Amino acid sequence: MFAQIERLASDAERERQNMQSLRESWRKEKERNEKLEKEIIQLKKKNKKLMKQLEEYKELQVKQQQPEYPER
């Protein structure tokens, strides 16, 4: 009987340690995901800015390619 109680106590301790480990893994993963979400937001902003610059560059190229007519 005493051996069964010791085994149950040992199993309970292993389960407690396992749960603690899982909680810590979950917390780290949650922090990682939050960091990645912030990074995604920053990259989207940067992409939007670069796309705007690209459009401005294309417009400038089109203007430079158009022949200039002297005013009379």
Side-chain angles (χ1 to χ4, degrees), residues 19-33:
M19 286 298 292
Q20 186 176 359
S21 176
L22 289 172
R23 281 188 196 108
E24 182 64 18
S25 294
W26 178 82
R27 184 190 63 75
K28 286 179 181 178
E29 199 62 30
K30 183 179 177 190
E31 288 176 358
R32 182 177 166 270
N33 285 341

Side-chain angles (χ1 to χ4, degrees), residues 17-59:
Q17 290 174 352
N18 188 34
M19 286 298 292
Q20 186 176 359
S21 176
L22 289 172
R23 281 188 196 108
E24 182 64 18
S25 294
W26 178 82
R27 184 190 63 75
K28 286 179 181 178
E29 199 62 30
K30 183 179 177 190
E31 288 176 358
R32 182 177 166 270
N33 285 341
E34 289 170 354
K35 183 179 176 184
L36 288 173
E37 286 176 10
K38 289 177 183 177
E39 195 173 321
I40 287 169
I41 290 169
Q42 292 299 317
L43 288 171
K44 284 182 178 181
K45 287 178 183 179
K46 186 174 182 178
N47 185 49
K48 185 175 180 179
K49 183 179 178 181
L50 290 171
M51 293 302 288
K52 183 177 179 182
Q53 289 177 350
L54 178 61
E55 286 302 313
E56 290 171 353
Y57 177 75
K58 286 179 180 179
E59 288 175 9

Side-chain angles (χ1 to χ4, degrees), residues 2-16:
F2 185 72
Q4 289 176 336
I5 292 172
E6 282 184 330
R7 186 179 56 79
L8 288 173
S10 177
D11 289 349
E13 178 60 21
R14 273 196 302 277
E15 284 300 314
R16 186 192 68 74

